[in-house]
Amino acid sequence: MAESAGRTGATSPLLETKLYIPKWRPGLVSRPRLIERLDQGIERKLTLVSAPAGFGKTTLLAEWLTATPASQRAAGWVSLDQSDNDPAFFWAYFITALQKVQSEVGESALSLLHSPQPPPIESVLTTLINEINAIEDDFALILDDFHVIDAQPVHSAIAFLLDHLPPQMHLVIASRSDPPLPLARLRGRGESTELRASDLRFTTDEAAAFLNEVMELDLSAADAAALETRIEGWIAGLQLAALSMRGREDVSGFIRDFAGDDRYIVDYLVEEVLERQTERVRSFLLQTSILDRLSGPLCDAVTEQEDGKVLLEALERGNLFVVPLDDKRQWYRYHHLFRDVLHAHAMEEQPDQVPIRHRRASEWYERNGLRSDAVRHALAAEDFERAAALIELAWPAMRMSDQEATWLGWVKALPDELVRARPVVSVGYAWTLLMGGELEAAEARLRDAERWLEAPADTGERPDAPSAKMVVVDEEEFRSLPATIASARTFHAQALGDVPGVEKYARRALDLLPESDYFRRAIPSGILALRYWASGELGAAERLIADSMANMRMAGNTFSAISGTSLLAYILTAQGRLHEAVNAYEQSLQLATDQGEPVLRGTADLYVGLSELHLERGDLEAATQHLLTSKELGEQAAHDAYQYRSRLAQARMKEAQGDLDGALDLLDEAERVYTGGVIPDVRPVAALKARVRVLQGRLAEAQGWVSERGLSVEDDLSYLGEFEHVTLVRVLVAQYKSEQEDRSIHEAMGLLERLLQAAEAGERTGSVIEILVQQALAYEAQDKIPLALVPLERALTLAEPEGYVRIFVDEGEAMRGLLRHATAGGIAGSYTRRLLSAFDEPAQPASTPAQAAAARLAEPLTAREVEILRLIAGGMRNQEIADHLFISLSTVKRHVANAYGKLGVGHRTEAVARANELNLL
């Protein structure tokens, strides 16, 4: 089914059937005992109504909503079906349902979902959570038939939502089975209410009321109780039995002979119900059983009659398992259980007619612009030629709207020979496989398409398969195939690390694509920028990433344009252009503001980058503020890339504040969440940790890293390895200062000279400054101050226009001494004096009495251990402390154990008491 919430060919009326809140009609059996349970659960995060089919889950929730005036309980509702396993579809419906509660909520999240290349669903969800927080009144959102959802990404996202659920929101899930959510944890925390089959079964009194008042039978109390006992309060079974008993003379005999399990009961009772219908109604029920939603015109198309609307209304009046899906009575559905058995009867009695009906349904959906449903019914009819044509036509729009997962499922349902005969479908197939990391399978599909392009134009026959004929439905997409294939091969080459291949195919794609095809030009440009960045050709990388971002902006894809900013800023920083890097971040923040679209993942990353740059320039206050803003925007982001960058920035801040233990903790966390990707890792965490260990005097551990990496001063140099080799220099100089071995310092000096030549050749001024600083420190270690001032003066000259500070100050007392010599020699006058004053500016608050007390212990507590003790005293559990400090639970436990050991205590109460004695808290 296709709707305006995110599907191709969407129409609003059909969307409304997904979001329609079923009405509970007066005259049905009221269930106050269960309504009370639901009312009690509203204060918790989740209500789960879990029971097999036919236990009245939907009806109960409809009564619950009806029992309280709408002004007192706002609610949204989504009726789910199998096709909602596509996360983009699921969340589009979810958000649109929320807009029934408050019209403007979710607009930013929806705009992200509908952008030409939507961001990761976690980013959309983070945006949504922040928007929900703006809703003032309490509300509930109901997900009905959740058992049809088997997509792990949806389950994971719902679990994430429950973890961060705003207090005014209550989630209700109705399902035939328990969903794979953290139910035990929610249950243990008192955050969920659960109603199950044992709760939903009709009591004897409820069963009697249903049979006599709703179904209008006149059963004795004994007969009603006997039937309830036989069916065990199963509501659908009671309804079917009631329909079967209408007009019978020996009702008691029918009940007495009635027995069997649920499936037997359903089969038996549906057969009984069908036998009591007119031939026209029976025929209508069987013919339309292929449909998951029913309307008069659609039923007319399937049955080739003209009485669909009249029959649907009659079925509803007769309580014959027809559920209205809108207030206008235009759309209905059969009760799921009833439809399943009807369909089984249709397959048994009219197997040849079922595919024909599916084909008619497919044609009707196509005529009405509902392509997704047209494809689904074509596949069900096994009319694969028709399905393949529809799938081909759907590809461009579904690719642009992030619906590749659904499209891939369709293609996999086609016979392989049909796919291989269609080059447009083959290339789409290849793209979806590439996005899923299936490189070998993608290669095979690309080769299938390329063979058709190599075939003679006059015959359309492939040399390797003379009897095969090419099939093309979308001529426009076919004409652009050479460029599309080149773009796909660019992506494929990047994934394989094939540098020449990236260059070859990206250039080919850019040559073939028209300048006006902004979106598709952005992809090879961006990938080619990564290739040049990895090789250290930063000028070319800068131009290409700027082109890619501009194309994304022109294509209307604000998110992708903004997310490229960090790469551009990395490049500018490596070139020593700090001012331009800051400007790049600020311009992208302005772009997001102008769009009125808080692209939270992008802006959170931008604030991390700004924090790093302001820290380098010595503005600790601005750096701290930007980091806090980033945390506010991104603390709920589930994606690892943000968590990784955030921890690196926090570690850098800790290092600047002199908290080296805290910096290492955060680097450990960064290493844990790092997942790699297509972006080159030019500053590996392991190398950052080695640098901190050098500063701590833990030389043996730093040397262990060198051995583990197999680094040598004779290595071939590359931009990707530059950071590690500069780190090697730091280890060698520290080794010389510790052991006074001339070999170490000579090796360091030689490597520095080679690194400097490479950085200068690559016009990487940022790298040049750092290497010159290390040359100066290497000379200082040998007490060759005049020689040290030569590279230092060059470094100061290059650094002053951009306002570098921390690259000098973080080197400590050795650099302070050199800068004093530089001042005495008249080198970089005011700038050098500014750097010297930065050594005296506290990078963190002055030592408190608590910290002083901690330092007086036999083995002093670290700043992080004191911080954790304060949180323990405040009543936080270990997991809460981990969440608060952005570190893992295991790291918290390690610090707690260390603090206990230093304080000489065994548990939390003793630790807090001892810390109070020492005035630590």
Side-chain angles (χ1 to χ4, degrees):
M1 194 171 115
E3 288 90 3
S4 60
R7 301 196 180 193
T8 308
T11 61
S12 179
L14 204 50
L15 167 62
E16 289 301 315
T17 69
K18 296 277 293 183
L19 309 179
Y20 178 72
I21 299 178
K23 298 296 187 291
W24 186 82
R25 304 193 311 275
L28 295 177
V29 177
S30 180
R31 316 196 71 186
R33 62 187 176 87
L34 298 181
I35 299 302
E36 184 179 358
R37 291 274 303 279
L38 291 170
D39 283 338
Q40 291 169 351
I42 195 69
E43 299 299 325
R44 300 174 179 179
K45 289 185 174 183
L46 173 69
T47 292
L48 173 65
V49 184
S50 178
F55 273 89
K57 299 182 289 295
T58 301
T59 303
L60 172 64
L61 293 173
E63 181 188 357
W64 177 57
L65 295 181
T66 304
T68 304
S71 60
Q72 297 180 31
R73 178 178 291 134
W77 187 295
V78 184
S79 296
L80 298 166
D81 58 52
Q82 190 67 40
S83 59
D84 296 327
N85 278 285
D86 187 313
F89 292 175
F90 179 92
W91 290 108
Y93 292 134
F94 189 99
I95 293 167
T96 310
L98 284 175
Q99 293 181 339
K100 300 288 185 179
V101 175
Q102 185 166 307
S103 58
E104 66 273 16
V105 71
E107 285 295 335
S108 297
L110 267 182
S111 67
L112 292 178
L113 279 172
H114 293 160
S115 62
Q117 188 181 14
I121 200 66
E122 294 86 355
S123 304
V124 178
L125 197 53
T126 301
T127 302
L128 180 62
I129 289 169
N130 282 274
E131 292 186 90
I132 292 172
N133 273 314
I135 299 177
E136 294 183 1
D137 297 326
D138 293 347
F139 70 95
L141 191 130
I142 297 167
L143 300 176
D144 198 13
D145 291 329
F146 195 79
H147 55 271
V148 301
I149 302 299
D150 54 23
Q152 183 56 43
V154 174
H155 293 151
S156 298
I158 288 289
F160 172 78
L161 175 66
L162 285 168
D163 281 342
H164 302 92
L165 197 72
Q168 63 270 50
M169 180 175 177
H170 179 67
L171 188 65
V172 181
I173 289 177
S175 176
R176 294 185 187 178
S177 57
D178 283 2
L181 299 173
L183 298 178
R185 187 175 73 208
L186 291 165
R187 197 180 298 130
R189 294 177 178 176
E191 295 176 341
S192 67
T193 295
E194 299 176 18
L195 275 71
R196 303 190 170 277
S198 58
D199 302 302
L200 270 62
R201 295 182 191 279
F202 270 169
T203 64
T204 300
D205 289 342
E206 288 172 336
F210 175 77
L211 292 167
N212 290 327
E213 297 172 17
V214 178
M215 300 306 295
E216 299 179 344
L217 298 175
D218 187 19
L219 299 184
S220 66
D223 282 344
L227 185 58
E228 188 278 329
T229 300
R230 294 290 178 92
I231 298 182
E232 297 181 341
W234 180 39
I235 300 169
L238 285 169
Q239 186 175 1
L240 283 165
L243 290 169
S244 300
M245 287 187 289
R246 282 179 175 173
R248 287 184 183 271
E249 294 183 2
D250 186 12
V251 171
S252 297
F254 174 85
I255 295 172
R256 186 173 55 251
D257 296 337
F258 189 73
D261 60 22
D262 288 355
R263 176 50 61 184
Y264 170 81
I265 292 171
V266 172
D267 290 344
Y268 172 73
L269 290 179
V270 170
E271 188 170 340
E272 288 284 317
V273 170
L274 287 175
E275 285 183 358
R276 293 181 173 276
Q277 308 307 315
T278 66
E279 182 55 35
R280 177 67 195 113
V281 170
R282 186 178 191 280
S283 175
F284 179 85
L285 290 171
L286 295 178
Q287 287 176 309
T288 57
S289 66
I290 66 163
L291 302 171
D292 53 7
R293 278 168 176 77
L294 310 155
S295 72
L298 174 56
C299 291
D300 289 346
V302 171
T303 64
E304 294 189 314
Q305 301 293 322
E306 297 181 355
D307 55 357
K309 185 174 187 297
V310 172
L311 284 172
L312 287 171
E313 291 172 350
L315 291 173
E316 183 192 3
R317 287 194 301 272
N319 280 321
L320 203 58
F321 289 95
V322 174
V323 180
L325 296 177
D326 58 31
D327 289 323
K328 297 177 181 179
R329 295 306 196 263
Q330 292 179 342
W331 286 92
Y332 300 82
R333 68 170 174 83
Y334 291 128
H335 188 288
H336 299 309
L337 206 58
F338 189 59
R339 178 186 171 229
D340 289 346
V341 180
L342 286 178
H343 190 55
H345 275 265
M347 290 295 294
E348 181 180 346
E349 297 177 23
Q350 305 164 343
D352 296 337
Q353 293 298 308
V354 171
I356 296 171
R357 293 165 191 158
H358 277 297
R359 192 174 301 114
R360 292 172 186 163
S362 176
E363 291 167 355
W364 186 90
Y365 277 123
E366 184 185 13
R367 287 195 302 272
N368 286 273
L370 304 168
R371 189 170 285 156
S372 295
D373 296 277
V375 170
R376 186 163 50 83
H377 280 284
L379 290 172
E382 297 188 354
D383 187 347
F384 295 122
E385 293 283 349
R386 173 178 176 76
L390 291 168
I391 289 168
E392 181 170 326
L393 291 170
W395 166 243
M398 295 186 78
R399 174 189 59 199
M400 294 288 285
S401 57
D402 199 32
Q403 297 174 27
E404 292 96 335
T406 294
W407 192 87
L408 180 61
W410 293 344
V411 175
K412 287 184 173 181
L414 295 173
D416 196 54
E417 61 271 17
L418 263 69
V419 176
R420 298 186 67 193
R422 290 162 169 77
V424 173
V425 176
S426 292
V427 172
Y429 199 173
W431 261 117
T432 57
L433 292 169
L434 283 173
M435 299 303 289
E438 299 182 55
L439 303 185
E440 290 187 17
E443 169 67 25
R445 298 299 170 178
L446 288 173
R447 286 298 304 140
D448 283 337
E450 288 167 336
R451 290 189 188 101
W452 284 121
L453 296 183
E454 294 162 2
D458 55 341
T459 65
E461 295 181 353
R462 282 175 24 184
D464 63 319
S467 62
K469 295 293 183 181
M470 179 173 68
V471 180
V472 173
V473 179
D474 191 335
E475 293 287 348
E476 182 180 354
E477 195 69 17
F478 177 71
R479 285 191 294 272
S480 67
L481 271 192
T484 307
I485 290 172
S487 292
R489 288 213 169 275
T490 304
F491 191 98
H492 188 258
Q494 173 72 10
L496 291 174
D498 176 8
V499 174
V502 170
E503 177 86 22
K504 172 184 173 182
Y505 292 116
R507 292 297 179 193
R508 180 184 297 175
L510 292 171
D511 288 343
L512 291 170
L513 289 166
E515 293 288 337
S516 59
D517 196 343
Y518 303 117
F519 177 75
R520 291 205 287 185
R521 287 186 67 84
I523 296 172
S525 292
I527 295 174
L528 195 56
L530 293 174
R531 170 257 185 269
Y532 281 120
W533 183 31
S535 63
E537 300 171 70
L538 301 188
E542 178 202 349
R543 290 189 295 274
L544 285 161
I545 195 61
D547 286 346
S548 180
M549 292 169 64
N551 278 321
M552 283 297 183
R553 283 196 297 272
M554 294 296 290
N557 193 331
T558 304
F559 174 81
S560 291
I562 288 175
S563 63
T565 309
S566 294
L567 174 56
L568 177 60
Y570 278 145
I571 293 169
L572 293 170
T573 301
Q575 293 174 315
R577 297 155 62 184
L578 301 189
H579 290 303
E580 291 180 61
V582 170
N583 288 340
Y585 282 125
E586 291 177 344
Q587 287 170 12
S588 287
L589 284 170
Q590 187 60 53
L591 175 62
T593 302
D594 291 344
Q595 293 288 314
E597 178 183 332
V599 189
L600 293 182
R601 173 178 177 264
T603 55
D605 281 349
L606 300 184
Y607 283 109
V608 170
L610 279 173
S611 174
E612 292 172 325
L613 289 167
H614 281 290
L615 179 62
E616 176 53 55
R617 293 163 68 177
D619 189 345
L620 186 68
E621 183 177 351
T624 301
Q625 185 55 55
H626 285 310
L627 203 54
L628 289 173
T629 302
S630 169
K631 185 176 181 181
E632 290 171 6
L633 291 171
E635 64 184 358
Q636 294 172 325
H639 61 280
D640 292 333
Y642 165 75
Q643 303 289 8
Y644 174 71
R645 281 204 67 195
S646 175
R647 282 160 171 76
L648 290 184
Q650 291 177 74
R652 183 75 185 84
M653 183 75 74
K654 290 288 187 184
E655 183 181 341
Q657 294 170 338
D659 182 2
L660 299 182
D661 285 338
L664 271 180
D665 285 344
L666 287 160
L667 290 174
D668 284 340
E669 290 300 305
E671 198 166 41
R672 182 180 62 82
V673 301
Y674 180 67
T675 57
V678 296
I679 297 179
D681 186 14
V682 296
R683 293 168 61 88
V685 174
L688 288 166
K689 290 165 67 174
R691 292 186 176 203
V692 173
R693 285 173 177 137
V694 168
L695 293 174
Q696 290 178 311
R698 296 160 64 178
L699 184 56
E701 292 174 65
Q703 290 169 327
W705 167 79
V706 172
S707 299
E708 183 180 318
R709 291 291 297 137
L711 295 174
S712 165
V713 296
E714 297 175 358
D715 291 339
D716 292 334
L717 301 183
S718 68
Y719 177 59
L720 277 180
E722 181 179 83
F723 190 82
E724 288 189 317
H725 282 116
V726 174
T727 306
L728 172 59
V729 166
R730 292 172 178 271
V731 175
L732 289 170
V733 172
Q735 188 173 315
Y736 169 75
K737 292 169 74 172
S738 172
E739 302 169 2
Q740 293 296 306
E741 289 187 4
D742 289 343
R743 178 182 175 184
S744 297
I745 198 66
H746 292 322
E747 286 182 341
M749 297 299 294
L751 181 54
L752 281 167
E753 189 58 41
R754 292 174 61 216
L755 286 166
L756 182 62
Q757 292 173 4
E760 289 174 334
E763 299 181 343
R764 301 191 294 274
T765 302
S767 299
V768 169
I769 294 171
E770 181 182 13
I771 294 165
L772 288 170
V773 166
Q774 294 309 309
Q775 279 189 328
L777 290 169
Y779 280 122
E780 188 276 340
Q782 302 170 74
D783 203 24
K784 298 178 179 180
I785 304 304
L787 290 177
L789 294 179
V790 176
L792 180 61
E793 183 174 9
R794 278 197 65 200
L796 291 167
T797 301
L798 292 171
E800 182 176 8
E802 298 296 329
Y804 282 89
V805 173
R806 302 307 310 184
I807 200 168
F808 298 99
V809 174
D810 287 345
E811 299 299 339
E813 290 303 314
M815 177 55 66
R816 190 206 290 252
L818 285 177
L819 289 172
R820 285 171 174 159
H821 285 294
T823 301
I827 296 173
S830 61
Y831 181 47
T832 307
R833 287 192 293 275
R834 180 193 164 201
L835 292 176
L836 282 169
S837 67
F839 280 91
D840 298 321
E841 294 172 1
Q844 58 185 349
S847 176
T848 65
Q851 290 167 328
R856 289 195 298 272
L857 291 169
E859 184 179 355
L861 294 174
T862 67
R864 177 53 63 90
E865 289 164 357
V866 171
E867 185 177 20
I868 287 174
L869 282 173
R870 286 202 184 100
L871 296 176
I872 289 173
M876 280 193 180
R877 298 190 298 269
N878 285 352
Q879 184 61 61
E880 292 172 323
I881 294 171
D883 294 341
H884 180 76
L885 296 180
F886 257 106
I887 59 178
S888 70
L889 180 60
S890 61
T891 300
V892 172
K893 289 179 177 179
R894 175 164 55 83
H895 282 304
V896 169
N898 289 342
Y900 285 4
K902 294 175 182 180
L903 293 170
V905 299
H907 54 76
R908 296 167 73 93
T909 305
E910 288 181 345
V912 171
R914 176 68 174 141
N916 278 319
E917 288 175 10
L918 293 169
N919 294 319
L920 292 173
L921 308 180

